[in-house]
Amino acid sequence: MPENVDLKQYCQRTIDNDRVWLSSTFRVKLIKEGIEKAGSINQLGRALGYRSRVHPGWSIRQILLGKQPFPIERLKALSEFMDYPLEDIMRHRTQHGAVTLDSTRRALDACGMLYFIPR
């Protein structure tokens, strides 16, 4: 690596490549289908490799609500679990700023999942 490379930008780019924001409509639909296939949000969390004893679905809930992006490894696990090609999922990748509370609320409403919106 050259001496004059800005490591801060390099590290940020690496971090951004390891985390994936998906459009609200697609993200909610995909997670809803995953929950239906797994049987519960906790079971989906376990299928994706989350190991919390109390609530393995907590990170799934945070991703569902648009509060955090998918780690790429968990997204690959979801792709395999759902038999959904990762390339097709990545077509719905978006910027963090495009994921808003309003877009998430509309997507949850469209999928009949308003009970996930915090009060």
Side-chain angles (χ1 to χ4, degrees):
M1 185 177 297
E3 291 179 30
N4 59 353
V5 171
D6 182 4
L7 290 178
K8 188 175 184 180
Q9 281 184 332
Y10 175 76
C11 291
Q12 186 63 39
R13 225 179 7 245
T14 302
I15 290 169
D16 289 343
N17 288 335
D18 291 342
R19 300 180 302 171
V20 178
W21 291 96
L22 297 174
S23 68
S24 296
T25 305
F26 181 76
R27 184 185 71 249
V28 169
K29 180 178 161 266
L30 185 67
I31 292 175
K32 179 181 181 181
E33 291 172 6
I35 292 170
E36 289 171 353
K37 183 173 182 177
S40 73
I41 195 166
N42 283 338
Q43 286 301 108
L44 179 60
R46 287 185 188 99
L48 300 186
Y50 291 104
R51 298 289 175 226
S52 169
R53 285 182 167 182
V54 178
H55 194 0
W58 179 253
S59 292
I60 303 298
R61 185 178 188 280
Q62 296 299 94
I63 293 167
L64 176 69
L65 295 176
K67 294 185 177 188
Q68 70 185 48
F70 264 106
I72 192 68
E73 292 303 317
R74 307 294 187 192
L75 192 56
K76 288 176 185 175
L78 181 61
S79 169
E80 292 172 11
F81 179 74
M82 298 292 296
D83 294 323
Y84 201 106
L86 185 60
E87 297 79 29
D88 291 349
I89 292 172
M90 294 301 277
R91 288 187 191 135
H92 297 277
R93 189 174 193 168
T94 191
Q95 297 296 317
H96 174 21
V99 177
T100 64
L101 180 60
D102 190 46
S103 67
T104 299
R105 184 181 304 269
R106 283 192 311 266
L108 288 167
D109 185 29
C111 286
M113 298 178 73
L114 281 176
Y115 50 89
F116 275 106
I117 296 177
R119 299 197 187 272

